[in-house]
Amino acid sequence: MLVGYARVSTTDQNLDLQKDALRKAGCRRVYADTASGATDARKGLTQALGYLRKGDTLVVWKLDRLGRSLRHLIDTVNKLHARKVGFRSLQENIDTTTSGGKLFFHVFGALAEFERDLLRERTQAGLRAARARGRLGGRPRALSEKKLAQARMLYASRCHTAGKIAKTLGVSRSTLYRYLGRPQ
């Protein structure tokens, strides 16, 4: 069975074009959302995915109607494939129930993986370059060595509560305890 999914980003846009194309393609059921593609919670998509059974095919008018990104699109189609559900995009003429469609989609997946690897390599190179210039990155320490020594002295004196010490140093009690628990 063909199950359609349509999406527009704003209420100013109209779903009719997509719904008509999906019905013309043979979709018996059509689910729809008016939501940004970046939105994780899309009720219509959740319903469509829940309705699909083994042997069914999810049909969209255009690839970008389904996925937030290429990675999200590939993950969604791979999950469908694992459930033995096909995928079709009308505008791009992709049909994963055919061998040509599967090949095309795998090429998409390979390109997305290549893009992720390049991004990871560039990020690592940037971090190495920053470290070579003496920049460590990350969040600054809540307590300097000087303040930590002061905290240990105040805590050891047993004249002040942990809450008072934390307030004096401008940190939370849990942060103070975390630092006090570290070896000197």
Side-chain angles (χ1 to χ4, degrees), residues 53-120:
R53 299 292 176 253
K54 181 179 174 180
D56 290 347
T57 299
L58 178 65
V59 183
V60 295
W61 180 67
K62 199 171 179 187
L63 284 174
D64 66 351
R65 301 296 87 198
L66 178 64
R68 303 187 299 270
S69 64
L70 184 58
R71 177 77 254 150
H72 179 254
L73 181 66
I74 289 167
D75 288 344
T76 303
V77 173
N78 284 337
K79 287 176 186 173
L80 291 172
H81 180 71
R83 294 172 51 196
K84 305 224 184 307
V85 172
F87 172 75
R88 241 174 97 190
S89 173
L90 301 177
Q91 291 296 303
E92 290 84 4
N93 203 20
I94 297 172
D95 186 349
T96 63
T97 62
T98 68
S99 54
K102 285 179 191 170
L103 171 66
F104 190 73
F105 208 79
H106 285 294
V107 169
F108 258 32
L111 289 172
E113 189 172 339
F114 176 69
E115 180 184 16
R116 278 194 315 279
D117 289 346
L118 284 178
L119 180 63
R120 189 178 310 116

Side-chain angles (χ1 to χ4, degrees), residues 127-137:
L127 289 171
R128 282 192 301 275
R131 277 189 224 107
R133 289 189 306 274
R135 297 193 56 192
L136 297 177

